[in-house]
Amino acid sequence: GQNIDQPTEMTATEGAIVQINCTYQTSGFNGLFWYQQHAGEAPTFLSYNVLDGLEEKGRFSSFLSRSKGYSYLLLKELQMKDSASYLCAVRRGSSNTGKLIFGQGTTLQVKP
Amino acid sequence: DSGVTQTPKHLITATGQRVTLRCSPRSGDLSVYWYQQSLDQGLQFLIQYYNGEERAKGNILERFSAQQFPDLHSELNLSSLELGDSALYFCASSRQGWEETQYFGPGTRLLVL
């Protein structure tokens, strides 16, 4: 089976740093993705980890520990436009399938 | 703009009816994925096609079916619609089945009355 857990809601202040955690239990792990989704809009790709360690991309970084089934998304220098839902997704299966299993998402509210 | 297009944007229909949702992947992408997003279930994988063939299946109901055509566009057919089928339906595409990133279309919002 599979299980992906994220906090439901988080609040942070503009200009601050926030870390959104994701834990997963799944067979056939083949990569972990973070997507951002504004209400009613399409998910947009933020980051991808398949090996342990930190991936940095501008204000966003993502970390993966496969042995612990754990990832986090780090957002620096928060801006009001970062208020959105952040979805952790695990890719399962063999290399020629791309099935993503999504967590319920973390709704981040950035306050002035 | 991800390059993935979906039509229609909104669809309102009645229980028992049948609808078809359409998706055009990004240019050059061979894989198409369908997802359903409802308030209580989150984003759920339905089915994947790669170059015209079904590649992976998720929690797709028997009332739902999909196909990918030679020009690589895909259609999701939903039949005998129920109130609980009301949701956002997203299509995503990627270059190959193992490509690291799936790019999502804007979605079709389906309301079943």
Side-chain angles (χ1 to χ4, degrees), chain B residues 22 27 45-47 49 58 61 70 93 102:
Chain B
R22 196 178 192 278
S27 177
F45 169 76
L46 295 178
I47 198 163
Y49 279 83
L61 300 172
S93 74
Q102 292 179 24

Side-chain angles (χ1 to χ4, degrees), chain A residues 2 33 35 37 39-45 48 87 91 94-104, chain B residues 33 35 37 40-43 45 48 55-58 88 90 97-102 104-106 109:
Chain A
Q2 60 264 347
F33 297 78
Y35 282 83
Q37 187 179 27
E41 297 183 9
T44 54
F45 170 75
Y48 164 69
L87 308 176
R91 184 168 63 194
S94 62
S95 61
N96 63 352
T97 69
K99 178 178 179 178
L100 290 181
I101 308 299
F102 282 85
Q104 288 291 97
Chain B
Y33 312 79
Y35 293 86
Q37 187 174 40
D40 58 342
Q41 291 288 322
L43 203 57
F45 169 76
Q48 176 198 358
R55 185 55 63 92
K57 222 168 185 177
L88 263 171
F90 288 106
W98 54 90
E99 174 67 19
E100 63 185 39
T101 302
Q102 292 179 24
F104 282 76
R109 185 176 293 276

Side-chain angles (χ1 to χ4, degrees), chain A:
Chain A
Q2 60 264 347
N3 195 35
I4 300 174
D5 289 315
Q6 309 177 231
T8 305
E9 294 178 344
M10 297 184 72
T11 303
T13 305
E14 191 176 16
I17 299 173
V18 71
Q19 178 174 312
I20 303 174
N21 295 324
C22 171
T23 58
Y24 65 89
Q25 294 174 314
T26 186
S27 56
F29 177 84
N30 194 12
L32 188 140
F33 297 78
W34 285 95
Y35 282 83
Q36 180 193 61
Q37 187 179 27
H38 288 95
E41 297 183 9
T44 54
F45 170 75
L46 290 178
S47 70
Y48 164 69
N49 296 71
V50 66
L51 299 175
D52 290 353
L54 189 68
E55 292 285 338
E56 297 187 81
K57 194 183 284 188
R59 294 190 298 117
F60 297 84
S61 304
S62 58
F63 172 83
L64 175 67
S65 169
R66 288 171 297 170
S67 61
K68 294 182 179 176
Y70 169 68
S71 174
Y72 68 71
L73 178 70
L74 195 70
L75 292 78
K76 303 175 189 174
E77 301 169 16
L78 281 173
Q79 301 174 10
M80 298 299 291
K81 67 177 183 180
D82 296 329
S83 293
S85 182
Y86 291 85
L87 308 176
C88 171
V90 170
R91 184 168 63 194
R92 294 187 63 212
S94 62
S95 61
N96 63 352
T97 69
K99 178 178 179 178
L100 290 181
I101 308 299
F102 282 85
Q104 288 291 97
T106 299
T107 300
L108 173 66
Q109 185 178 20
V110 180
K111 295 186 173 179

Side-chain angles (χ1 to χ4, degrees), chain B residues 3-112:
Chain B
V4 180
T5 60
Q6 289 186 247
T7 56
K9 284 185 98 170
H10 302 276
L11 200 49
I12 302 175
T13 188
T15 55
Q17 295 298 304
R18 182 179 188 275
V19 297
T20 297
L21 312 183
R22 196 178 192 278
C23 168
S24 292
R26 293 185 317 155
S27 177
D29 283 3
L30 299 178
S31 273
V32 168
Y33 312 79
W34 286 97
Y35 293 86
Q36 178 193 56
Q37 187 174 40
S38 55
L39 282 174
D40 58 342
Q41 291 288 322
L43 203 57
Q44 300 281 317
F45 169 76
L46 295 178
I47 198 163
Q48 176 198 358
Y49 279 83
Y50 172 73
N51 205 20
E53 294 187 0
E54 183 183 306
R55 185 55 63 92
K57 222 168 185 177
N59 300 323
I60 186 166
L61 300 172
E62 284 192 14
R63 300 184 285 110
F64 296 1
S65 65
Q67 53 184 327
Q68 186 179 28
F69 295 87
D71 67 352
L72 300 177
H73 91 271
S74 178
E75 292 181 355
L76 179 67
N77 300 295
L78 315 177
S79 61
S80 304
L81 284 167
E82 302 175 358
L83 296 177
D85 297 328
S86 296
L88 263 171
Y89 290 84
F90 288 106
C91 166
S93 74
S94 68
R95 196 71 62 192
Q96 305 281 349
W98 54 90
E99 174 67 19
E100 63 185 39
T101 302
Q102 292 179 24
Y103 295 92
F104 282 76
T108 294
R109 185 176 293 276
L110 174 67
L111 181 59
V112 182

